[in-house]
Amino acid sequence: MDRDKITKRISADLKYLKEFTATPGNGCTRMPFTQETRYAAEYLKKIMEDAGLEVREDCVGNVFGTLPGEDRSLPCVMVGSHYDSVYNGGDYDGIAGVISAVELARLLQDEGKRLRSDLVVAAFMDEEGCRFGTGYFGSKCMLGQMTVEECKHYTDKDDISVYDAMTEYGLVPENLKDAAWPEGSIGHYIELHIEQGPVLDANQIELGLVNCIVGIQRYIVKVQGRSDHAGTTPMDMRQDAVNMAAKVIGKIGDMAKAEGSGTVATVGYMKVTPSAMNVVAESVDFSIDIRSTDNAIIDKIASQIWAELDRETQATGASWSADSKLTITPVDLSPAMLDIMEESCKEHGYSYLRMPSGAGHDALAIGQSLDTVMIFVPSKDGRSHCPVEYTPYEAFSKAIEVLYDLINRV
């Protein structure tokens, strides 16, 4: 296997794709159902066709390329990731896994090999959930786990729903059910991804073999107070939404720290209404993202937050509500595929570490019901979801060698 050739092809594709951003010069901003995702999807379809794959885009914006196997009646081996991004994100998150999957198909073609079953390269729409606050949209549609009603419910910061965004993109949301793959048609799902954390890079370890992915709960909370004059309303007569929300938010990080075991909780979005310097805030909307490998811990922290919100709002006669955006449980990944990858690492002389993933990935949604595994490559200084995100292209070629062994052995 010519690693230099692999590295050059991956480098060329990723450098081309990073141009499809709404924020040139300030990271990758490729929100779902936008012009940037359309450009990326068309490029992905082109390189999949050039690799000899049977290419289609489904009714929710997922792109699939299939390399026929010897027995097409067998469940396929699917390899892929997502092609959307966060706001001002990096050039490798998600999309590098898609390009690496295309490269696996190219290698099979170069060597004139066919797997026993079909190899399917997958590029999923809207894994990040950054625009609509959800997550894993494309992969959950593939699993038959999304509804038209949910598409109408979830909206972005401009109050555009998933339903409306899909329609504007040229899709028909009522066809959502057609995105679901028949039960038993996917035998294995494999995902390559940058680590997005510091462990591999700090310890100079070449590859991470992911054995578990955290569960996640996401909410948008609204604290509803009352708008009053900032100068004339006594402090003990206020229903100050910012004051109440801030008291609760200030405790959330400590709740996660108290649980340990890699548990994290984040408030990353806030909206104050009316957002004026001389007005007591009427309402505050803020996000909550809780993650842990232990689902009981996630539930515990959520309950603690609700209790704090009760305490603060009841003291002033205010109120609060929470809209659940995502609930997904932790998942253990395939022991058999992990063993194959570990054996391959040893054969190639690559250093490796079995490790959990603190980020979600499409593998989290898919792993709930299908045989799934992930492989990580190092992120320089552990940075991700930002413009400085970087992984040397050579790292992808090492992971691809291991995955090439895996798809030929499963």
Side-chain angles (χ1 to χ4, degrees):
M1 189 176 296
D2 188 341
R3 273 182 46 196
D4 287 340
K5 184 178 182 181
I6 296 171
T7 300
K8 287 178 182 177
R9 288 195 294 212
I10 292 172
S11 171
D13 287 331
L14 289 177
K15 287 178 180 177
Y16 195 87
L17 280 158
K18 75 177 185 179
E19 301 301 320
F20 304 141
T21 172
T23 53
N26 192 21
C28 181
T29 301
R30 191 158 53 235
M31 293 296 106
F33 310 117
T34 62
Q35 184 180 61
E36 290 75 37
T37 49
R38 170 50 58 206
Y39 289 154
E42 293 306 315
Y43 181 76
L44 291 172
K45 287 191 279 188
K46 178 183 181 302
I47 63 172
M48 287 181 188
E49 289 171 356
D50 291 346
L53 306 185
E54 300 171 356
V55 180
R56 69 181 180 91
E57 181 176 347
D58 72 7
C59 58
V60 298
N62 295 325
V63 178
F64 297 103
T66 301
L67 186 64
E70 294 175 351
D71 185 350
R72 306 205 67 180
S73 68
L74 294 173
C76 73
V77 175
M78 181 176 288
V79 188
S81 193
H82 61 97
Y83 67 104
D84 62 306
S85 78
V86 298
Y87 292 103
N88 306 109
D91 298 326
Y92 306 89
D93 178 3
I95 193 64
V98 178
I99 294 304
S100 296
V102 174
E103 186 60 27
L104 286 173
R106 289 170 176 154
L107 290 172
L108 288 169
Q109 296 283 60
D110 288 348
E111 299 187 7
K113 295 188 67 173
R114 297 180 72 190
L115 302 182
R116 287 191 309 116
S117 60
D118 289 355
L119 174 73
V120 177
V121 175
F124 293 113
M125 174 71 84
D126 193 13
E127 180 267 355
E128 295 286 2
C130 197
R131 179 177 178 183
F132 303 103
T134 52
Y136 320 115
F137 174 79
S139 51
K140 290 177 77 173
C141 287
M142 182 188 74
L143 297 168
Q145 296 174 355
M146 291 293 296
T147 66
V148 175
E149 289 70 29
E150 287 175 301
C151 291
K152 293 178 178 179
H153 174 73
Y154 294 123
T155 59
D156 65 11
K157 58 184 176 60
D158 298 316
D159 207 32
I160 298 171
S161 67
V162 176
Y163 184 99
D164 291 338
M166 290 177 69
T167 303
E168 178 67 22
Y169 196 68
L171 302 174
V172 181
E174 281 76 15
N175 294 339
L176 189 78
K177 64 182 184 301
D178 295 335
W181 284 49
E183 185 175 354
S185 61
I186 305 171
H188 310 278
Y189 176 71
I190 301 164
E191 184 166 357
L192 181 155
H193 210 281
I194 60 172
E195 183 197 351
Q196 301 185 279
V199 175
L200 296 178
D201 187 60
N203 294 283
Q204 297 297 293
I205 297 173
E206 291 168 295
L207 297 170
L209 311 184
V210 182
N211 52 20
C212 176
I213 306 177
V214 297
I216 304 173
Q217 290 183 22
R218 286 179 181 161
Y219 302 91
I220 294 291
V221 172
K222 176 182 283 292
V223 175
Q224 185 65 51
R226 187 184 66 211
S227 180
D228 282 304
H229 194 289
T232 61
T233 310
M235 296 303 294
D236 61 353
M237 298 178 67
R238 298 184 179 201
Q239 293 180 359
D240 186 336
V242 166
N243 188 50
M244 290 179 282
K247 287 179 178 178
V248 177
I249 291 169
K251 296 177 181 178
I252 291 175
D254 290 334
M255 293 175 188
K257 287 180 183 177
E259 298 300 330
S261 303
T263 300
V264 295
T266 305
V267 174
Y269 163 82
M270 292 185 69
K271 177 185 177 183
V272 178
T273 303
S275 192
M277 188 175 294
N278 62 345
V279 180
V280 177
E282 178 181 1
S283 66
V284 174
D285 298 273
F286 64 93
S287 64
I288 302 173
D289 182 303
I290 313 168
R291 307 184 186 210
S292 178
T293 56
D294 185 337
N295 205 62
I297 290 176
I298 300 176
D299 289 339
K300 177 183 177 182
I301 291 173
S303 295
Q304 289 175 332
I305 295 170
W306 309 152
E308 290 293 333
L309 284 163
D310 280 341
R311 184 178 297 108
E312 294 298 332
T313 55
Q314 289 172 8
T316 63
S319 63
W320 68 274
S321 60
D323 182 13
S324 176
K325 295 292 188 178
L326 175 69
T327 299
I328 193 163
T329 57
V331 65
D332 292 322
L333 301 186
S334 169
M337 288 200 284
L338 283 164
D339 287 345
I340 294 171
M341 291 198 300
E342 182 170 342
E343 181 181 344
S344 176
C345 286
K346 291 176 179 177
E347 290 173 357
H348 293 290
Y350 297 144
S351 57
Y352 65 91
L353 174 69
R354 291 202 182 202
M355 62 188 298
S357 171
H361 311 296
D362 289 298
L364 174 58
I366 296 170
Q368 305 287 327
S369 54
L370 299 176
D371 191 45
T372 298
V373 81
M374 288 193 76
I375 188 167
F376 280 166
V377 293
S379 297
K380 182 173 173 52
D381 299 324
R383 303 297 302 281
S384 183
H385 279 188
C386 57
V388 299
E389 176 183 276
Y390 177 70
T391 293
Y393 298 114
E394 295 80 5
F396 297 115
S397 66
K398 295 175 184 178
I400 286 169
E401 282 190 292
V402 172
L403 293 188
Y404 188 77
D405 291 342
L406 176 61
I407 63 174
N408 280 283
R409 296 176 187 178
V410 292

